[in-house]
Amino acid sequence: KVPRKATGVILLIAMAVMGIITSKQTTMTALIASTFVLNTFIYMYVCYASAVYVPEMWPTSAKLSGSGFCMGRVSNIFFPFLVTSVAAGSMGSNGVFALISAVAVIIAVSIVVFGVETRGESVEDIGNVE
């Protein structure tokens, strides 16, 4: 019932909020609980993106290569180095959680601006972009 674009944006905003909340925790119990909730939103978004939204945006002939490119070949190469440098810097692990939040917000804005609504559309109609 919920539009595909809205689902992605809601999950990403939830990730961003939980990233900030997690970075502010001062006790181990609160950190574990908030990290659990953050990871839950992350995995929900990954499942949604890789199995629902991203594959629906590509025509059948380009589905695998389109999804593979869209799921972040470049980010999988560079993001671990960025996380390591942020964690080693003055902000430490709080910076990593802030980075997760910032990336989630950037992706959410990108979906709002550039994303297509795929709910109720056939793969053939979505693939006929002119």
Side-chain angles (χ1 to χ4, degrees):
K1 302 279 181 188
V2 180
R4 306 280 200 251
K5 278 177 64 171
T7 301
V9 170
I10 289 167
L11 289 171
L12 287 160
I13 297 302
M15 283 170 49
V17 168
M18 284 309 303
I20 298 300
I21 290 171
T22 302
S23 73
K24 303 295 183 197
Q25 300 310 309
T26 56
T27 66
M28 187 58 70
T29 303
L31 180 62
I32 291 170
S34 63
T35 302
F36 174 80
V37 175
L38 172 62
N39 281 333
T40 300
F41 284 124
I42 290 171
Y43 288 128
M44 287 172 64
Y45 179 76
V46 167
C47 291
Y48 152 82
S50 64
V52 178
Y53 188 60
V54 172
E56 288 181 348
M57 291 190 291
W58 301 95
T60 303
S61 62
K63 197 171 292 290
L64 288 176
S65 58
S67 294
F69 176 76
C70 208
M71 296 308 284
R73 301 277 186 211
V74 174
S75 66
N76 285 333
I77 294 168
F78 294 109
F79 206 71
F81 295 107
L82 180 60
V83 168
T84 303
S85 66
V86 168
S90 62
M91 292 184 68
S93 61
N94 290 343
V96 174
F97 291 118
L99 178 64
I100 290 170
S101 297
V103 169
V105 168
I106 291 168
I107 295 169
V109 170
S110 298
I111 289 175
V112 167
V113 173
F114 300 112
V116 295
E117 180 55 57
T118 59
R119 191 180 114 207
E121 299 290 332
S122 71
V123 174
E124 292 79 15
D125 290 339
I126 294 169
N128 290 331
V129 178
E130 297 176 25

